Amino acid sequence: KRVGVLISGSGTNLQSLINATQDPSQHIGAEIVLVISNKPGVEGLKRAERAGIKTVVIKHTDYPSRETFDAAMNVELHAAGVEVVCLAGFMRILSEQFVKHWKGALLNIHPSLLPSFKGANAHKDVLAARVRVSGCTVHFVEVDIDSGAIVEQEVVPVFPDDTEKILQERVKTAEHRAYPRALKHLATGRIKLKEDGTLHWN
Ligand code: GRF
């Protein structure tokens, strides 16, 4: 499968997907053909360039609406023949149109064990709730934020003296294992999103 990855920042998850897809022994069944960032100059773009992957910057501030910004991304995704889109630290909410267009082929990674701790401050909320475990979730994207069928999860411990930064780093090491696994499930046809929004495992 031809994969497009959308990023906004450091791109460590992108890196894990690059490493996995470029390692023939992992049989991921996917190749990253395009990386789009809504922010210029971010580290993730450099990671893609170093790996020889085409990059495009599409600044959301150049577009009058979410829909026109998403349409501009779609032009690039289709031009590159992308079949699967992975969100990897992409900090924009996607339009309903875009989400429906890519239904069953659009994955996101969230830094908590969904459906707990949705939203942009997952680590902060986890620490405030004083739970003993957290983790990450790879899921299909639905119009509702941080919902959608769960493909992979991985658990990490939360320790009493954790800071947001320390917890984030621990969760990221789990993310970097979970995302390639999830992409492999999708790219190799192991999973399929059913019409009712639930997963079918082959
Ligand atoms: C990750 O924690 C991911 O779960 C969240 O944004 C962060 C992106 O990190 N959606 P990176 O850019 O992949 O390093």
Side-chain angles (χ1 to χ4, degrees), residues 108-158:
N108 181 45
I109 186 150
H110 180 78
S112 79
L113 294 172
L114 290 175
S116 292
F117 306 109
K118 296 179 178 185
N121 300 309
H123 302 304
K124 193 172 178 224
D125 297 343
V126 161
L127 293 178
R130 300 182 171 271
V131 290
R132 296 294 308 273
V133 294
S134 187
C136 64
T137 304
V138 183
H139 63 94
F140 279 101
V141 176
E142 295 283 349
V143 175
D144 266 359
I145 300 290
D146 297 334
S147 67
I150 291 170
V151 180
E152 272 293 342
Q153 291 185 303
E154 197 163 316
V155 179
V156 304
V158 180

Side-chain angles (χ1 to χ4, degrees), residues 97-116:
Q97 213 174 296
F98 186 95
V99 171
K100 289 196 168 147
H101 179 83
W102 290 100
K103 191 177 165 75
L106 179 55
L107 294 176
N108 181 45
I109 186 150
H110 180 78
S112 79
L113 294 172
L114 290 175
S116 292

